Amino acid sequence: MYAGFGAQQAVGVFALDVDGCALDASDVAGGFVVLTLERLTRELADNSELYEMSVEEGNDDDLKAIAAEAAKLLPEIEELEFRRMCRHESDPLSCFLDIQTGAGGTEACDWASMLLRQYLRYAERKGFKTSVDDETPGDVAGIKGATIHIE
C-alpha cells in the first residue's frame, strides 16, 4: 500500500452520494450539478478501479498518481457540498455571532479576542458587512464576550 493510504483514504474518501444530493432548481435547469456529478462519479469510479489494480500489483507510482488525481477532484466536491448546504430560504439572511469565554481566565479572554478578530476579518474578506454590537473587555487582556452582527 502507498504510504499508509487505504481504500478509504486514497479514493474512497472522495466518494459521492449522488442519490442523496439535494439539487438547487437553478443548477438543475442549467445542468451544471447533474453534469458535474456524472463526471465526478465516472472519474471516481475509474480511480477506484485503478486503485484496486494498483494495490494488487503493489505499484506505488500508480498509487501516487491516483491519489493526486483524486485530490484534484476535492475542490469540486466541496463546492457541490457547499451548494447543497446553502439552499435554505433563510441562508442569504444576516446573522448574529456570539463569542463567550467561559472558564480559562486570561488565556480564554485573549483567545476570545483572537476569535473575534478572525471572524471579523473572514466576514470582511467574504464581502459581508459586520458590526460589533456588544463587547465586554476582559479583566487583564482580551474580551470576556462579544456579539457580532453579520449582514
Side-chain angles (χ1 to χ4, degrees), residues 1 9 11 13-14 23 41 71 77-78 82 89 95 115 122 127 129 132 145-146:
M1 289 221 165
Q9 294 168 322
V11 177
V13 95
F14 300 106
L23 303 175
T41 302
I77 293 169
E78 289 173 344
F82 181 77
E89 63 186 39
C95 71
L115 281 177
Y122 176 80
K129 182 179 156 192
V132 179

Side-chain angles (χ1 to χ4, degrees), residues 5 8 11 16 22 30 36 41 44 49 52 65 92 107-108 111 120 132:
F5 276 90
Q8 291 296 320
V11 177
L16 288 175
T36 302
T41 302
L44 288 171
E49 290 175 22
E52 294 299 325
E107 288 83 12
W111 178 249
L120 287 171
V132 179

Side-chain angles (χ1 to χ4, degrees), residues 32-68:
F32 169 77
V33 171
V34 174
L35 293 175
T36 302
L37 283 174
E38 288 175 351
R39 183 180 52 76
L40 288 172
T41 302
R42 192 172 46 251
E43 289 182 29
L44 288 171
D46 292 346
N47 279 343
S48 182
E49 290 175 22
L50 290 173
Y51 174 80
E52 294 299 325
M53 292 187 321
S54 297
V55 167
E56 288 175 11
E57 296 172 3
N59 190 337
D60 286 345
D61 292 335
D62 285 348
L63 289 172
K64 289 178 185 178
I66 292 166

Side-chain angles (χ1 to χ4, degrees), residues 77-130:
I77 293 169
E78 289 173 344
E79 171 68 22
L80 290 174
E81 288 176 350
F82 181 77
R83 284 175 178 249
R84 183 184 57 84
M85 287 187 302
C86 295
R87 61 181 175 79
H88 192 269
E89 63 186 39
S90 63
D91 285 338
L93 302 176
S94 61
C95 71
F96 289 93
L97 175 68
D98 192 43
I99 300 171
Q100 298 296 325
T101 57
T106 304
E107 288 83 12
C109 292
D110 194 32
W111 178 249
S113 67
M114 287 187 254
L115 281 177
L116 173 65
R117 185 168 179 238
Q118 286 177 342
Y119 281 119
L120 287 171
R121 288 182 146 211
Y122 176 80
E124 289 170 6
R125 190 172 59 243
K126 293 295 183 179
F128 295 105
K129 182 179 156 192
T130 61

